Amino acid sequence: MANLKLMVWNMEWMNDLFAGNGLFRPDNEKTQHNSAATIKQRRDALSTVIKELNPDILVVVEGPNITAEWQLFLDTDLPGTWQGHIQASPGMTQCIGVALRKDSGKFATDAIETFDSLQIEAFKEWSMDLEDDGITEVYKFERSPLYIQVKTSDSKIFRLLGLHLKSKLVSSAMEWSRWWESADANRRKIFAQASRIRQEFLDAYLSDPATANIPLVVCGDINDGPGMDTSERKIMGSGIERLMGSVWFPQLTLGNALFDSLKPADQRKLRFDKIATTSFADPIFNGTYHNEWIDHLLYSRNTAAKWILNAAAVKDLSQGPIHKAPYKHSSDHYPIIADIVL
């Protein structure tokens, strides 16, 4: 039986650590997107969290944009022997990647088979009438999805789809009605991307005899939580709920490992504070913070027994909360962990 520990983490502008030539930037240099932290502080904080959680499989969101840089971090800052891969995403400095710890003895020699999502029709630019209003619009994935197959040492296989959908953030100061227009547009893009993945990839994957029985993990930063906010009510759609599937086709739906981890009372009352995956300051009201669940770990229901167990959003580690030393310069997202049992 294969038993693997999976870690999924938005590592927040990890590309800041690299000089663009496959090397790290100088240790004492300030990072581009966080002037309070040096390159060395960020490297140390990221590696400290990973070493403490000790995953067999690590999925990075907002990773570097070339595999060589990701492999440099794995080889230099983490113990053990790792095999890394970054999905190329032209023009982007935030990419999705994966790493397997090969010295664990848990993986086959040919552990990773990669599928270039740039060559997969479902992930190419497309047109759709999202709101059924007769207006066809063009959409694309800003960050190309990661798609791989993993083989364990006992020849069990599963596939993994790593995602980073459009951000909801409106970072520019603008007139109030313009701000809402931008917020609405971002929600439409998220819902369009989720719809594309569900309609053109997931439904096909879970129906095609060639893949229908291969377990699938769908994970990453969806930039959306359950339910509909003000903007989503206008389009009557939630990105994460669209990804998980339709109640009319229950055999094609995906489970949500973090939701599974909640106590029954929290599930019934839809209380999600215990599985929030990020915290950020309100852009308008000083001193107000929001704790949101936007990073997800979904799984197919095509196995005889439940195969994704013990999921958690990690906010506290052995030396204290993740937002304080020695972890404070790691990321603005909490890592998700879970056990894969096949």
Side-chain angles (χ1 to χ4, degrees), residues 15-126:
N15 207 54
D16 285 358
L17 305 181
F18 303 96
N21 57 359
L23 300 175
F24 287 116
R25 292 185 181 277
D27 284 353
N28 60 354
E29 187 176 308
K30 297 290 187 180
T31 61
Q32 180 181 350
H33 292 89
N34 180 3
S35 59
T38 65
I39 299 296
K40 187 66 165 62
Q41 286 174 321
R42 286 226 58 213
R43 285 175 57 189
D44 287 348
L46 289 167
S47 60
T48 298
V49 173
I50 296 168
K51 285 185 281 190
E52 189 162 330
L53 293 177
N54 193 29
D56 299 302
I57 306 175
L58 172 60
V59 176
V60 58
V61 179
E62 294 195 22
N65 58 355
I66 59 173
T67 296
E69 292 174 341
W70 177 228
Q71 192 66 52
L72 177 67
F73 172 79
L74 299 170
D75 293 342
T76 307
D77 290 1
L78 298 182
T81 303
W82 295 81
Q83 180 181 352
H85 170 71
I86 291 288
Q87 169 60 52
S89 194
M92 295 301 298
T93 55
Q94 295 179 335
C95 294
I96 310 167
V98 66
L100 272 58
R101 184 161 180 174
K102 296 298 293 292
D103 61 330
S104 67
K106 297 182 178 182
F107 298 103
T109 304
D110 54 341
I112 299 181
E113 181 180 354
T114 63
F115 306 94
D116 185 1
S117 63
L118 293 172
Q119 306 305 317
I120 297 174
E121 194 64 32
F123 302 132
K124 295 180 180 180
E125 185 176 275
W126 74 100

Side-chain angles (χ1 to χ4, degrees), residues 222-292:
I222 309 304
N223 272 309
D224 189 44
M228 291 184 280
D229 61 22
T230 302
S231 291
E232 288 170 327
R233 291 190 190 103
K234 296 179 181 178
I235 59 174
M236 293 302 293
S238 158
I240 184 59
E241 293 176 4
R242 184 71 164 138
L243 270 183
M244 290 179 65
S246 169
V247 296
W248 301 111
F249 300 95
Q251 73 279 11
L252 302 181
T253 61
L254 300 175
N256 192 309
L258 283 177
F259 181 81
D260 293 347
S261 73
L262 291 173
K263 294 180 179 179
D266 289 331
Q267 290 181 339
R268 285 195 301 272
K269 294 183 179 181
L270 301 181
R271 291 193 297 240
F272 304 130
D273 54 295
K274 293 183 178 66
I275 52 176
T277 58
T278 189
S279 178
F280 56 90
D282 190 280
I284 299 174
F285 300 103
N286 293 334
T288 299
Y289 283 79
H290 300 276
N291 297 303
E292 300 293 338

Side-chain angles (χ1 to χ4, degrees), residues 128-135 137 139 188 234-235:
M128 68 185 304
D129 179 1
L130 180 69
E131 299 174 76
D132 196 25
D133 56 4
I135 300 174
E137 298 172 298
Y139 294 94
R188 284 196 295 271
K234 296 179 181 178
I235 59 174

Side-chain angles (χ1 to χ4, degrees), residues 170-202:
V170 181
S171 57
S172 302
M174 58 183 69
E175 189 271 330
W176 191 233
S177 63
R178 288 286 307 281
W179 188 95
W180 272 112
E181 287 178 4
S182 296
D184 292 347
N186 287 344
R187 268 55 166 200
R188 284 196 295 271
K189 290 176 182 176
I190 293 172
F191 190 64
Q193 291 172 347
S195 296
R196 179 70 171 181
I197 295 166
R198 168 48 66 177
Q199 293 170 344
E200 302 300 325
F201 180 81
L202 290 174

